């Protein structure tokens, strides 16, 4: 995986083709990366049968490194080998993050050359430019394991999904996890309001409406309001309630890229934009009030969510007076039970006074959230069993 090998965030380019080099330097610049450049394999790789290390051409520009070994094959986080230079790196130690890149890759022998150098993929330009920029940017941003992304959706109106989403994010942040809370419901009133930060400086969803292509993970995080040790992407109080699905997809992907936890408060209607979010979530918690009418409504919500989400689980809020226990409610909805959250007396009043949900560590809501994260973050797969 790109970025899994330490190397200071600077990719290594190996090619003798000046046109391909121009393309790769341009793509590195687009990703915010300053690469090392070699005509041949750096000496420290110790390639068997390599034809030596050709010094870099002084005309390649300031990015080129003429000194052999200044950017090592084994230490660079990402290696881009031009198809023209594949023969020069045969016999180099096998490692992750090697890509064979070219502009004319119709020769069937290209796959043999890729196998010989241990390349993960063969990338043809210009078709693979977007993919390659993403790979390079991952290196620059130090991308590793993506964030555990959890969505929260109400099974019916007034279910308390926003309250649970806010509490989950707050409790995750208090464990030291890098946490981003995303407000996915433009008609919900604003998650920043729930956290008491409606006047906090930072970008809101409408500011990302014109986003095209990749959004930088670091830039996104730094641009958002910081409230209670977490970052919040909310809606403003303006008239705009629509952000293009492509922009939403890019923003959520950026939020996940640097690891930690991402919590998304979801609306009950699954449109194209919401589907883009659902597709990137590891788990969706559907909050169902403990009443028969809400259970019936939740069945319709669950049907829409399951069309996109990979894992949907039920959180029952309060006991059902009709004799249904939480396991029975989950059974009726055909989804695993994630737990039960008792109705917390006095919570609305405390929120109105500026105390975010989940602030009181001994409350039932906080205990549920703490238990959820202990299971989720302690799981090898990042999702509770």
């Amino acid at each position: 995986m790109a970025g899994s090998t330490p190397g200071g965030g600077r990719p290594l380019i190996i090619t003798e083709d000046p046109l391909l080099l121009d393309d790769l330097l341009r793509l590195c610049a687009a990703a915010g990366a300053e690469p090392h450049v070699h005509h041949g394999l750096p000496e420290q790789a110790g390639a068997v049968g390599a034809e030596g290390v050709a010094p870099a051409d002084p005309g390649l520009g300031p990015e080129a490194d003429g000194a052999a070994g200044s950017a090592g094959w084994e230490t660079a986080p990402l290696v881009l080998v031009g198809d023209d230079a594949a023969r020069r790196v045969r016999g180099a130690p096998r490692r992750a993050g090697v890509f064979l890149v070219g502009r004319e890759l119709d020769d069937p022998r290209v796959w043999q050359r890729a196998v010989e150098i241990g390349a993960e993929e063969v990338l043809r330009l210009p078709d693979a430019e977007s993919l390659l920029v993403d790979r390079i940017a991952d290196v620059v941003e130090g991308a590793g394991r993506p964030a555990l992304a959890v969505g929260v959706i109400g099974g019916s109106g007034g279910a308390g999904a926003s309250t649970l989403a806010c509490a989950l994010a707050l409790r995750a942040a208090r464990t030291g996890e890098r946490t981003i809370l995303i407000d996915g419901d433009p008609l919900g009133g604003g998650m920043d309001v729930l956290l008491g930060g409606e006047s906090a400086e930072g970008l809101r969803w409408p500011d990302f409406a014109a986003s095209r292509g990749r959004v930088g993970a670091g830039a996104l995080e730094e641009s958002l309001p910081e409230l209670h040790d977490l970052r919040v992407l909310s809606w403003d109080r303006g008239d705009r309630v629509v952000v293009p699905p492509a922009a939403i997809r890019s923003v959520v992907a950026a939020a996940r890229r640097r690891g930690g936890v991402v919590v998304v408060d979801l609306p009950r209607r699954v449109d194209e934009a919401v589907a883009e979010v659902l597709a990137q979530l590891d788990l969706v918690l559907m909050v169902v009030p403990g009443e028969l009418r809400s259970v019936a409504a939740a069945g319709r919500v669950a049907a829409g969510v399951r069309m996109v989400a990979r894992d949907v689980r039920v959180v029952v809020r309060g006991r059902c007076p009709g004799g249904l226990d939480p396991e029975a409610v989950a059974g009726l909805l055909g989804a695993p039970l994630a737990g039960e959250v008792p109705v917390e007396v006095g919570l609305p009043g405390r929120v109105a006074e500026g105390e975010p949900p989940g602030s009181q560590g001994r409350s039932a809501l906080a205990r549920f959230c703490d238990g959820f994260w202990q299971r989720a973050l302690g799981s090898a797969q990042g999702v509770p069993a």
Side-chain angles (χ1 to χ4, degrees):
M1 174 178 174
S4 60
T5 305
R10 294 186 65 181
L12 171 63
I13 297 175
I14 303 175
T15 182
E16 296 177 343
D17 182 340
L19 296 179
L20 178 60
L21 178 60
D22 285 345
D23 285 338
L24 294 177
L25 290 176
R26 172 176 54 83
L27 297 177
C28 284
E34 182 183 355
H36 296 285
V37 178
H38 280 280
H39 269 307
L41 183 65
E43 287 179 350
Q44 70 185 72
V48 177
E51 299 180 13
V53 182
D57 187 334
L60 290 177
E63 295 88 351
D65 291 298
S70 61
W73 170 274
E74 296 184 46
T75 58
L78 183 72
V79 180
L80 306 176
V81 180
D83 185 48
D84 63 287
R87 61 188 174 84
R88 287 187 173 272
V89 299
R90 285 201 305 262
R94 294 302 172 104
R95 51 150 295 163
V98 176
F99 297 87
L100 185 63
V101 187
R103 286 175 288 110
E104 299 293 338
L105 297 177
D106 296 331
D107 184 351
R109 289 175 297 178
V110 69
W111 302 104
Q112 178 182 347
R113 294 193 289 273
V115 171
E116 289 173 348
I117 68 173
E120 290 185 11
E121 293 184 54
V122 175
L123 302 177
R124 181 181 183 277
L125 302 183
D127 297 349
E129 285 193 357
S130 178
L131 172 62
L132 190 50
V133 169
D134 283 350
R135 295 282 190 170
I136 298 169
D138 283 343
V139 170
V140 176
E141 295 175 351
R145 184 175 181 176
L148 174 60
V150 177
V152 185
I153 190 169
S156 63
S162 296
T163 297
L164 178 58
C166 183
L168 282 168
L170 187 66
R171 302 309 298 180
R174 291 191 175 181
T175 68
E177 290 289 336
R178 170 191 168 271
T179 305
I180 295 182
L181 174 61
I182 296 178
D183 187 352
D185 187 357
L187 304 180
M191 294 298 287
D192 53 353
V193 176
L194 198 56
L195 285 163
E198 58 271 23
S199 60
E201 293 186 3
L203 300 184
R204 268 66 173 181
W205 265 120
D207 297 307
F208 295 96
S211 298
R212 297 290 184 272
R214 182 188 178 98
V215 175
L220 171 68
E221 185 173 3
E222 293 173 4
S223 72
L224 300 179
E226 184 174 9
L227 304 169
H228 303 279
D229 299 320
L230 58 94
R231 297 284 180 167
V232 182
L233 176 53
S234 187
W235 292 86
D236 60 12
R237 260 47 69 187
D239 295 334
R240 186 175 193 127
V241 295
V242 176
V243 172
I248 289 177
R249 178 174 63 249
S250 297
V251 169
V252 175
R256 295 198 64 195
R257 203 173 295 129
R258 297 185 77 183
V261 165
V262 173
V263 179
V264 186
D265 181 39
L266 296 163
R268 289 190 294 132
R269 179 178 178 178
V270 180
D271 56 18
E272 185 179 357
V274 174
E276 291 287 359
V277 178
L278 288 171
Q280 298 192 58
L281 299 179
D282 297 298
L283 172 66
V284 176
L285 298 177
M286 185 168 60
V287 184
V288 183
E291 55 187 35
L292 291 176
R293 186 178 179 187
S294 295
V295 174
R300 292 188 291 272
V301 175
V305 172
R306 283 198 192 98
M307 294 178 65
V308 186
R310 68 190 75 174
D311 190 349
V312 182
R313 306 187 190 187
V314 174
V315 175
V316 176
R317 182 168 173 263
R319 285 282 175 169
C320 188
L324 296 175
D325 57 24
E327 289 79 7
V329 172
L332 288 173
L333 296 172
L337 178 66
E340 177 187 3
V341 179
V343 175
E344 195 169 314
V345 178
L347 177 60
R350 293 198 300 271
V351 171
E353 294 175 358
E355 181 182 293
S359 296
Q360 294 192 357
R362 296 182 179 180
S363 69
L365 181 60
R367 291 198 304 272
F368 171 86
C369 295
D370 290 346
F372 172 83
W373 290 126
Q374 287 174 6
R375 297 189 303 274
L377 297 173
S379 167
Q381 301 299 320
V383 178

